Amino acid sequence: MQYIPVLLLVLVAVGFSVGTLVMSVVVGKRGKRSQIKDTAYECGMLPVGEGSTRLSVKFYLVAMLFILFDIEVVFLYPWAVVYRQMLAQNAALIVGSMACFMFILFIGYIYALKKGAFDWKR
């Protein structure tokens, strides 16, 4: 008797999903579709040529650098939220560890800048 509500929920979920699929097939077959309506359309360009084009390695490098520095900012957020609470307990250790973290992040940024990782034309 305890499982009757669960069984009803499963039956309703399965009935809804099957009913939605059946209605989609029934209603979808009514309209006539032309060939131009069924062609793929991506970003305002007609699909001509290969499906996958080669991208420059620079694109992947910039994407990885973005992810790297974005994750570093995500690590800064929890620290900033509880900064006052932590400062009352161990001020020197907290400020020192964050200064070290920011220094390492800054060194990585300077390295990427010197290597020309942010220069698209190179």
Side-chain angles (χ1 to χ4, degrees):
M1 291 305 283
Q2 295 175 356
Y3 293 109
I4 289 178
V6 175
L7 181 62
L8 284 175
L9 180 65
V10 167
L11 288 175
V12 167
V14 169
F16 178 76
S17 60
V18 169
T20 304
L21 288 173
V22 168
M23 287 303 294
S24 172
V25 169
V26 169
V27 174
K29 293 283 182 178
R30 283 190 189 168
K32 289 201 171 202
R33 300 179 66 104
S34 63
Q35 185 178 4
I36 194 72
K37 194 159 187 125
D38 285 336
T39 58
Y41 185 75
E42 182 83 26
C43 299
M45 302 292 291
L46 290 175
V48 177
E50 287 186 27
S52 60
T53 59
R54 294 178 60 95
L55 294 174
S56 172
V57 174
K58 184 65 79 176
F59 172 78
Y60 295 108
L61 179 64
V62 170
M64 292 301 290
L65 285 172
F66 172 76
I67 290 171
L68 175 72
F69 288 115
D70 192 42
I71 289 173
E72 301 301 330
V73 171
V74 169
F75 284 135
L76 288 175
Y77 184 74
W79 179 81
V81 168
V82 293
Y83 176 70
R84 285 188 182 163
Q85 181 185 10
M86 290 188 312
L87 201 59
Q89 295 171 355
N90 230 348
L93 181 66
I94 300 304
V95 172
S97 65
M98 188 48 63
C100 182
F101 179 77
M102 292 300 290
F103 178 72
I104 292 171
L105 182 64
F106 184 69
I107 294 296
Y109 180 76
I110 295 297
Y111 177 77
L113 193 63
K114 293 279 186 187
K115 287 290 186 178
F118 301 121
D119 187 19
W120 279 98
K121 298 187 189 232
R122 215 176 94 150

